[in-house]
Amino acid sequence: MDMKKIMTIACAFAAFMVTFAAGPKKKIHTIGDSTMSEYGSEGNTDKRGWGEMLQQFFTDNVSINNRGKAGASSKSFYVETPLWPSLVKGGKDEMKAGDYLFIQFAHNDEKNNGADGEELKEYFTRQGALNRVNGVDYRGTTPFETYKEYIRNFIKEAKEMGVKPIVVGPISRKYFSDDGKRITRAGRHDLGDNFSVIKDKIFLEGEKVGIGDHTYDYVASAKEVADEFDDVPFINLTEQTARMYLKYGYSYCTGHLFFESDKTHTTALGAALIAREFAFMLRRQASSETNPKKKAVLQELADEIVISKGIFVTPYNGDMGLAYVGSEVTKTFTVSGFEMPAENGQVKLSVNNDFKISLDKTKWSESVDLKYSNSTFMAPVYVRANTSKGGIAVCQLTVTDGTTTKSQNIKIENIDKEAGEEAYATWALANKSKAASVKSLEASEVTMSEMVIEDNTRVPVSPRGHREMMLFNIEGGVWPDIDIDEVSTRYIEFKASVPKGKIFNISEVSLDICGFGGNNACYDVYLSTNDDFSEPELLTEGIKIPKDKCTTVTKQLLKRVPQGRNVYIRIYPWMRVSEKVRGKSLGISDLKIKGILTDAPVAPTQKNSRSAARKPASKTGNSTKAPATKTAPKPASKGAAVKKPVTTVKKK
């Protein structure tokens, strides 16, 4: 390599390290559901959460820790160990005094049409209506009671830590009225036209209250809780997104802002426009707020907002992590432009230092051109790392229209494949066996939560010659019509354990998967090395996969697992259906976790403990204590009032 190229790489790396060494001074934590969560880096779709796009509208003095979780309600986020408890009590991204917290929930709180899940389960159990118990979703809350309690809990516990909360109205759903002139009441999270409730020990369904009655309005309830505190602002993103959808119209929203036939989840463009609108709202509200304490909280962030014209790149973090030399590692970025100087034009995107870039994951080069119209563009851009040799490789992703230029620093650390022994755990899931075959690892039988294994197996139609697959069905056999994304308590889990004295370097996870009974099966696949399944990594996702067609999913990665720790793979299935259905299942076979086992560093002997004490702890050691047992999510709220029904009366 010539000296000029060496100096280029050295300068780029120095610039990268300076950028990240300074670090942001303010940190925002966002908690919410799938409409806020992260999808961009590993997802297979154009689905995005608005929290994922928020960073581009703040200065580099602010960082966003987006903890939005698909399928979360205010209740499930509060009680499930990997979510709120980890944010409060531990984990690399826990909240600290001086941070900010954005709170946005409602989509999944509405699961039982306004009834609380635990209360409703108890009601049906007491009445002996066990056939209805399975159809109740524990995540549901009552807008006037348990929903308020959880929002209040988030606020109080954050404030106790010195964190500054802001309550945000959930984004509206794409529920247009028949004439297309308004977003319906339900679209704005007010169930007043059709709700269920246990009242006076009677379960009522199909109930209705007048337009001016906000008892069953989750957004109004969220505002009421924020108003209980003199220093907690409320930002009504619900009404603002409803106005935005009406401005663009049903056809444009359907074709550009929302994901496929989905009326809840947004595309990258939709998420970016919502995040941009939120930034506008925060800045305007900071200016108009009359309460001095609320104004102070808003103003601190408003001063950091940037809503300028031009080009943006997300995510903010360009660290591609670890990779083996010679492996193929890709990271997804979203490049956007607002109010560009030319109505129609193009931008050039380029990378250097032997990294590659693509717009379709097929054609790779050092630069690509992206055309745009209407002074706006938004596109996913894929960057393939340079893993040709060991060490840290860096590059700049540059986007320019000739007059405006935006750059993103990117780095990856490449590691030579260690000399060690091959290790794997494979669950064939054939011949009705739940066991794994292993080499140098330990593995448990496949386990499930709210799922069952069917007695029979199936062979997919395509590809020919594929062997049988184990069929997994929901408990009770009836898939609900309320699932718009994963359900945190419904999953299939695979566990492998690392022997003492060894480090397991995961290199690949693969599986075969198929939907049987229709084209409605959906799934998310995650990996975690924590016993409470906190800090999960999304490996892949599938939305309405073709029936009877087997797909082989392969994810290459480099993840080090210390001795004595476990590797968990979870598959979260759901069905995208408009009514409750039977006869549908998910076929899985040949799930494999493989990698290399190497020797763990030898602990210092007592004789050398004095000199060892002066040495820093090994980076590959188990520096944090894992929970003694894996805690399954429990359908129980903290302090939530639960009514005790005693009679069996039902109103339609």
Side-chain angles (χ1 to χ4, degrees), residues 398-416:
T398 302
V399 189
T400 182
D401 66 346
T403 57
T404 304
T405 300
K406 182 73 174 182
S407 296
Q408 169 75 292
N409 293 311
I410 300 174
K411 84 176 180 80
I412 191 166
E413 184 176 354
N414 300 317
I415 300 172
D416 290 319

Side-chain angles (χ1 to χ4, degrees), residues 119-297:
E119 183 181 358
L120 197 53
K121 277 180 179 287
E122 184 173 346
Y123 180 91
F124 287 136
T125 300
R126 285 175 178 264
Q127 308 309 316
L130 300 182
N131 61 318
R132 299 208 62 180
V133 171
N134 289 335
V136 176
D137 195 316
Y138 104 91
R139 294 172 293 170
T141 62
T142 56
F144 53 86
E145 188 176 41
T146 48
Y147 174 72
K148 282 187 171 183
E149 289 186 22
Y150 290 113
I151 301 299
R152 194 177 292 119
N153 287 343
F154 293 133
I155 293 172
K156 287 182 176 179
E157 294 179 21
K159 284 168 62 65
E160 287 172 1
M161 298 179 67
V163 175
K164 305 166 189 177
I166 296 176
V167 180
V168 181
I171 69 170
S172 290
R173 300 182 193 268
K174 193 193 67 177
Y175 289 2
F176 279 76
S177 60
D178 292 340
D179 60 9
K181 295 182 179 180
R182 60 185 176 85
I183 300 300
T184 67
R185 208 172 170 185
R188 290 179 280 111
H189 305 284
D190 180 354
L191 304 183
D193 285 339
N194 181 14
F195 63 87
S196 300
V197 63
I198 296 175
K199 187 175 182 180
D200 298 328
K201 302 177 184 179
I202 301 172
F203 179 51
L204 306 174
E205 296 178 273
E207 294 296 292
K208 184 175 182 177
V209 294
I211 293 292
D213 187 332
H214 293 284
T215 305
Y216 297 91
D217 185 339
Y218 286 87
V219 181
S221 292
K223 183 180 186 304
E224 286 177 6
V225 175
D227 288 346
E228 294 173 7
F229 302 85
D230 62 359
D231 56 353
V232 178
F234 174 77
I235 298 178
N236 196 343
L237 188 59
T238 312
E239 286 303 316
Q240 192 62 25
T241 49
R243 285 193 286 268
M244 188 181 86
Y245 303 164
L246 293 173
K247 170 187 171 184
Y248 285 106
Y250 178 83
S251 296
Y252 188 85
C253 285
T254 300
H256 298 86
L257 304 189
F258 280 82
F259 174 65
E260 294 181 359
S261 58
D262 197 322
K263 295 183 178 181
T264 300
H265 301 103
T266 52
T267 61
L269 177 58
L273 290 174
I274 290 171
R276 191 167 190 254
E277 194 59 49
F278 175 83
F280 272 120
M281 292 181 71
L282 197 158
R283 194 165 66 181
R284 289 196 301 265
Q285 196 160 320
S287 177
S288 62
E289 179 62 63
T290 57
N291 180 305
K293 290 186 178 180
K294 294 187 179 186
K295 184 180 184 70
V297 173

Side-chain angles (χ1 to χ4, degrees), residues 382-494:
Y382 310 101
V383 175
R384 179 178 290 173
N386 174 10
T387 62
S388 59
K389 66 176 185 176
I392 294 177
V394 298
C395 85
Q396 276 197 332
L397 166 61
T398 302
V399 189
T400 182
D401 66 346
T403 57
T404 304
T405 300
K406 182 73 174 182
S407 296
Q408 169 75 292
N409 293 311
I410 300 174
K411 84 176 180 80
I412 191 166
E413 184 176 354
N414 300 317
I415 300 172
D416 290 319
K417 188 167 288 189
E418 295 95 337
E421 57 181 312
E422 181 188 34
Y424 61 77
T426 302
W427 290 263
L429 303 180
N431 300 319
K432 301 181 182 180
S433 172
K434 297 187 289 183
S437 60
V438 297
K439 180 179 180 182
S440 304
L441 295 175
E442 297 176 0
S444 305
E445 288 189 343
V446 58
T447 58
M448 292 146 287
S449 174
E450 300 181 2
M451 295 289 292
V452 295
I453 296 174
E454 294 187 355
D455 291 336
N456 58 318
T457 56
R458 288 281 294 275
V459 177
V461 171
S462 175
R464 291 183 179 179
H466 191 282
R467 60 184 180 152
E468 64 184 24
M469 310 184 81
M470 186 171 283
L471 301 188
F472 295 85
N473 204 342
I474 191 171
E475 279 185 348
V478 180
W479 293 88
D481 58 353
I482 56 176
D483 293 338
I484 55 175
D485 46 41
E486 68 189 58
V487 177
S488 58
T489 55
R490 184 198 306 151
Y491 55 82
I492 305 153
E493 182 174 275
F494 304 83

